[in-house]
Amino acid sequence: MITEDVQGMLELYEATYMRVQGEAILDNALVFTKTRLSGIANDHLCDGSLYKQIKEALERPIRKRLPRLDALCYIPIYQQDVSHNKSLLRLAKLGFNLLQSQHKKELSQLAKYALKTMSSFIGGGKVSMFQTIYLLREIDLLKTISGYLVSTLSLSILALEFSLTKVIGISTILDDTYDAYGTHEELVIFTEAVQRWSITCMDELPNYMKLIYKGLLDIYEEMEETMAKEGKAHHVNYAKEAMKEMIRNFMTEAKWRNEGYIPTVEEHQSVSFMSCGYKMLTIAGFVGMGDIITDESFEWVLGNPPLIKASSEICRLMDDIVGHKEEQKRNHVASIVEAYMKQHDVKEEEFVYDVFNQQVEEAWKAMNQESLKCKDLVPMPLMMRVINLARVMDALYKYDDTFTRVGKELIGHIESLFVHAMSL
């Protein structure tokens, strides 16, 4: 019986996270196995290795784990298995340490790049003290989080992946500029400049925005130079268009904030699912993936297919659930939580959180379904880029906004991924 087979029950539990919408039997199986496994974990009714697997699975099932973090979880568990293959275990550790060493070098390059750029502007007297503090904070954040994201996504930052890391960093700066630092008038000018995408727009911008704007253009110019060597410089145009689209949605949110407007949930979704940046990052990540990428691949993402919508939905809902209360302490655009509360005349925030958490689970089902539908149309490495971005949200936003407030768990991940090599 499955109730007596703890390992089998754990495997069934993991399998239920591959369910699609409408699979009521697997929905019930998840409830059953989760309840049983929670009881076993609380009563310590299994051996140490299996107990650890259960605790890890209940915290984050394999489907929602980032590849590098999954390796951190599984390799020690496999080592405790008395029947483990010593050569395979050693190879796994060597592989982990080798990629870690590469990430260390690349993170160092990123830090040097950021500091060099900042120094040139401060030295030129182009930013005020307040703006300097703001930009230094952003650069420190992008160094830490961008490196974490690239590592957990199992990427190498060499050449174009290094540019992707910079895209993640500049996106963080742009988001905070539109959310908190830029005035409405400044943001209108900046948005127009991005749509024109020309160095000639620099003179129209405030001094601190010139640094951001030039940094944005430089990143994509680097990407073009690299892709030109492969005869695919035009692929970067897709990435530019995705960035422009995200900025337009940033501006819509800034307009809502400036007017004190609370949109309907449907209005909010049409904008915030784009402003979350996952569509933009997917396209930027596709650039430079080699021959596996075609113009049709970019057109697929630009068409905002269900897989992209689901990943973006997970990003926006999880972000707004954990960040809602903190963001409303300052002048911030209304979150989707507020939009729901107003539209449905709901007073209890916890009720809305439950509604959206359930929608997050439905979005995961949608991604599972689209992964099956698209498997013969879209190469698996491309779909995994999208799925891994959704996994980032579960790692960073499950309980708190650790992207903004770096906590113990994230610090532990960063230390394991960048500092501490696996012992051989």
Side-chain angles (χ1 to χ4, degrees):
M1 292 178 63
I2 188 68
T3 54
E4 298 175 358
D5 180 3
V6 178
Q7 184 65 50
M9 195 184 311
L10 176 60
E11 291 171 1
L12 176 58
Y13 166 82
E14 292 285 11
T16 62
Y17 280 95
M18 294 300 297
R19 69 198 189 283
V20 301
Q21 292 166 333
E23 291 189 322
I25 293 176
L26 286 179
D27 286 337
N28 292 333
L30 173 59
V31 174
F32 170 75
T33 54
K34 189 173 185 177
T35 301
R36 290 287 298 175
L37 290 171
S38 296
I40 293 170
N42 290 333
D43 292 338
H44 296 259
L45 297 178
C46 54
D47 65 75
S49 177
L50 186 55
Y51 170 76
K52 184 175 181 181
Q53 288 184 64
I54 291 173
K55 294 290 286 186
E56 295 282 1
L58 290 173
E59 173 63 23
R60 184 166 292 112
I62 292 172
R63 182 59 171 169
K64 296 183 180 181
R65 287 184 207 164
L66 285 155
R68 293 288 282 173
L69 296 182
D70 193 22
L72 282 172
C73 288
Y74 185 72
I75 291 177
I77 291 173
Y78 180 70
Q79 185 170 357
Q80 292 178 19
D81 187 336
V82 293
S83 63
H84 74 257
N85 183 303
K86 293 183 179 180
S87 297
L88 181 60
L89 177 63
R90 182 176 175 80
L91 180 62
K93 290 183 176 182
L94 285 171
F96 186 93
N97 292 346
L98 183 63
L99 186 54
Q100 182 190 70
S101 178
Q102 182 64 45
H103 283 151
K104 285 181 180 179
K105 294 176 183 177
E106 294 160 350
L107 189 59
S108 175
Q109 293 174 22
L110 178 63
K112 290 176 182 177
Y113 164 83
L115 291 173
K116 180 180 178 182
T117 303
M118 190 66 213
S119 296
S120 65
F121 248 73
I122 296 174
K126 299 178 182 179
V127 291
S128 68
M129 181 57 69
F130 169 77
Q131 292 158 352
T132 298
I133 294 171
Y134 150 57
L135 289 168
L136 283 173
R137 176 262 180 192
E138 294 296 325
I139 285 172
D140 183 61
L141 181 66
L142 80 86
K143 284 189 298 182
T144 303
I145 302 299
S146 299
Y148 169 77
L149 294 179
V150 169
S151 178
T152 51
L153 291 171
S154 293
L155 306 178
S156 171
I157 320 174
L158 289 174
L160 284 158
E161 297 296 12
F162 189 39
S163 295
L164 176 59
T165 311
K166 295 177 184 178
V167 170
I168 295 172
I170 198 71
S171 298
T172 301
I173 294 175
L174 288 167
D175 184 36
D176 280 1
T177 300
Y178 275 83
D179 274 354
Y181 297 103
T183 67
H184 184 74
E185 293 73 19
E186 290 172 342
L187 296 175
V188 169
I189 296 171
F190 189 85
T191 301
E192 292 174 351
V194 171
Q195 302 310 306
R196 289 162 60 188
W197 205 278
S198 171
I199 197 68
T200 60
C201 299
M202 286 275 288
D203 292 340
E204 304 170 12
L205 299 172
N207 283 336
Y208 79 99
M209 282 186 165
K210 290 178 181 179
L211 169 61
I212 302 170
Y213 188 72
K214 187 174 186 305
L216 177 65
L217 267 57
D218 286 349
I219 290 168
Y220 286 81
E221 185 177 345
E222 289 176 11
M223 294 169 69
E224 284 180 325
E225 290 174 356
T226 303
M227 291 305 296
K229 298 174 184 177
E230 302 178 20
K232 298 179 181 179
H234 69 286
H235 281 182
V236 183
N237 291 331
Y238 292 108
K240 288 181 182 178
E241 289 305 313
M243 175 60 76
K244 290 178 182 179
E245 180 185 50
M246 186 182 75
I247 292 296
R248 291 195 297 271
N249 284 287
F250 277 178
M251 190 63 235
T252 299
E253 291 179 336
K255 182 174 181 290
W256 288 346
R257 183 192 66 192
N258 188 58
E259 297 173 353
Y261 176 65
I262 300 179
T264 65
V265 172
E266 293 72 24
E267 282 179 301
H268 203 291
Q269 290 175 341
S270 68
V271 173
S272 62
F273 285 9
M274 296 295 101
S275 68
C276 78
Y278 266 25
K279 180 179 177 181
M280 181 277 297
L281 286 177
T282 298
I283 293 177
F286 278 9
V287 176
M289 283 186 71
D291 293 336
I292 196 172
I293 292 292
T294 64
D295 288 348
E296 288 72 24
S297 304
F298 290 106
E299 295 293 346
W300 173 69
V301 182
L302 284 173
N304 208 31
L307 193 67
I308 298 295
K309 288 181 181 177
S311 181
S312 298
E313 182 175 9
I314 290 169
C315 174
R316 174 49 58 201
L317 294 180
M318 292 191 74
D319 187 349
D320 277 11
I321 288 171
V322 299
H324 163 249
K325 292 181 179 179
E326 187 68 28
E327 288 178 345
Q328 299 318 307
K329 293 178 181 178
R330 54 186 172 85
N331 184 22
H332 195 278
V333 65
S335 72
I336 199 168
V337 175
E338 285 182 284
Y340 186 99
M341 293 176 72
K342 178 184 177 184
Q343 184 172 336
H344 297 280
D345 194 25
V346 175
K347 305 301 182 185
E348 296 295 327
E349 294 173 340
E350 295 300 326
F351 172 82
V352 183
Y353 297 162
D354 290 340
V355 169
F356 286 153
N357 278 321
Q358 184 55 44
Q359 286 188 23
V360 168
E361 292 306 311
E362 292 300 314
W364 272 102
K365 293 180 187 179
M367 282 205 301
N368 291 338
Q369 190 157 7
E370 286 305 308
S371 297
L372 295 172
K373 285 183 178 180
C374 297
K375 64 183 177 64
D376 296 326
L377 302 174
V378 181
M380 184 57 69
L382 274 60
M383 288 195 288
M384 289 311 302
R385 282 287 176 104
V386 182
I387 293 170
N388 279 337
L389 283 172
R391 288 167 167 168
V392 166
M393 294 306 298
D394 203 77
L396 293 180
Y397 288 85
K398 187 170 184 177
Y399 302 113
D400 192 13
D401 180 2
T402 57
F403 188 91
T404 302
R405 298 178 292 278
V406 180
K408 290 183 178 179
E409 182 181 25
L410 181 55
I411 291 173
H413 289 167
I414 290 172
E415 289 178 346
S416 297
L417 292 168
F418 291 113
V419 181
H420 306 307
M422 286 194 172
S423 60
L424 300 177

